[in-house]
Amino acid sequence: MQISYHGHSIVKIKTGNHTILIDPFITGNQLTDLKVDEEKPDAILLTHGHNDHVGDTVAIAKASDALVIAPNELAVYLGWQGIKTHGMNIGGACEFEFGTVKFTKAFHSSSYTTEDNEIIYTGMPTGILFTAEGKTIYHAGDTSLFGDMEMIGKRHPIDVAFVPIGDNFTMGPEDAAHAVELLNPKLAVPIHFNTFPPIKQDPETFRALVKGHEVKVLEAGDLFEL
């Protein structure tokens, strides 16, 4: 399995036969190396409805016929845009041909803002547990720190945890380091930082705060294998 990071909260997972994109915010993301018309995933997983996470989902899904898996209200809304969706909810898991997806709780807001400045409610925010080829990846979305992260880690031993460190809208480095302690992953990767001025952070601060766990600080396009 090959895993790559592409700026902000974009994660790409390549298994033996499938490509999965998480939160593909490409247009307007000055830190990403991806181009919308070059992405042909089999599935797109969304943690929540904020524009900087939904991103280019509709355009990519229409071009690639990808299945979009998202919290139910968000899945319904995106389905109205003419793409294939599968709605889920917190605590629920579903096995697909490319792996198993389970949504966990997350604590923050979730809505989509249209071009007409209408705010659409998109259901509860989530984290994602993705399991394939005997490996489990956790994407925490935009969450704040919460104690049940310990239960998530105990119930689902995590190989890689992607955790936000940007502060202001999510956990900052200190809370994110404590989240790693609770989740107990084999590897932690910081995300959701430096894209905009309010979330400017030095990821090395996060790395220094994490004790007893490996941390990889990735640039857009960096990849590793599990």
Side-chain angles (χ1 to χ4, degrees), residues 163-168 170-180 190 193 199-210:
V163 295
I165 67 164
D167 223 346
N168 198 77
T170 70
M171 297 185 288
E174 295 82 3
D175 280 358
H178 189 63
V180 172
F193 65 96
I199 60 172
K200 193 77 174 174
Q201 293 290 337
D202 181 355
E204 293 302 329
T205 299
F206 167 72
R207 189 205 298 269
L209 289 166
V210 174

Side-chain angles (χ1 to χ4, degrees), residues 15-222:
T15 65
N17 298 307
H18 299 94
T19 299
I20 298 94
L21 264 181
I22 302 178
D23 288 0
F25 167 50
I26 299 172
T27 302
N29 179 359
Q30 297 182 2
L31 297 184
T32 193
D33 62 313
L34 300 183
K35 298 183 185 302
V36 174
D37 58 3
E38 294 178 358
E39 295 307 306
K40 307 296 181 186
D42 298 286
I44 298 172
L45 313 183
L46 299 178
T47 58
H48 66 287
H50 286 158
N51 296 54
D52 61 327
H53 292 258
V54 174
D56 299 279
T57 292
V58 172
I60 294 171
K62 284 184 175 179
S64 65
D65 199 35
L67 176 66
V68 176
I69 302 165
N72 192 61
E73 289 84 354
L74 177 57
V76 170
Y77 176 69
L78 293 176
W80 294 342
Q81 318 308 312
I83 61 176
K84 295 188 307 184
T85 64
H86 181 100
M88 297 181 64
N89 220 317
I90 292 170
C94 188
E95 185 175 344
F96 301 90
E97 63 178 352
F98 51 83
T100 298
V101 177
K102 183 173 185 178
F103 282 108
T104 69
K105 67 172 65 173
F107 286 95
H108 57 96
S109 60
S110 180
S111 61
Y112 185 82
T113 304
T114 70
E115 293 180 354
D116 297 324
N117 293 327
E118 181 182 8
I119 295 177
I120 306 295
Y121 170 69
T122 52
M124 295 291 287
T126 69
I128 294 171
L129 285 164
F130 176 74
T131 303
E133 299 179 347
K135 305 294 184 181
T136 297
I137 296 118
Y138 173 65
H139 190 299
D142 276 1
T143 196
S144 59
L145 177 65
F146 59 96
D148 282 351
M149 286 179 167
E150 183 174 16
M151 180 177 65
I152 292 170
K154 286 181 176 179
R155 290 271 296 117
H156 306 277
I158 297 167
D159 291 282
V160 184
F162 289 92
V163 295
I165 67 164
D167 223 346
N168 198 77
F169 300 111
T170 70
M171 297 185 288
E174 295 82 3
D175 280 358
H178 189 63
V180 172
E181 181 180 336
L182 296 176
L183 292 164
N184 194 31
K186 293 178 181 176
L187 172 67
V189 179
I191 61 172
H192 203 281
F193 65 96
N194 289 351
T195 322
F196 315 111
I199 60 172
K200 193 77 174 174
Q201 293 290 337
D202 181 355
E204 293 302 329
T205 299
F206 167 72
R207 189 205 298 269
L209 289 166
V210 174
K211 307 299 181 184
H213 295 84
E214 182 184 359
V215 174
K216 281 186 183 293
V217 175
L218 303 178
E219 301 290 335
D222 285 351

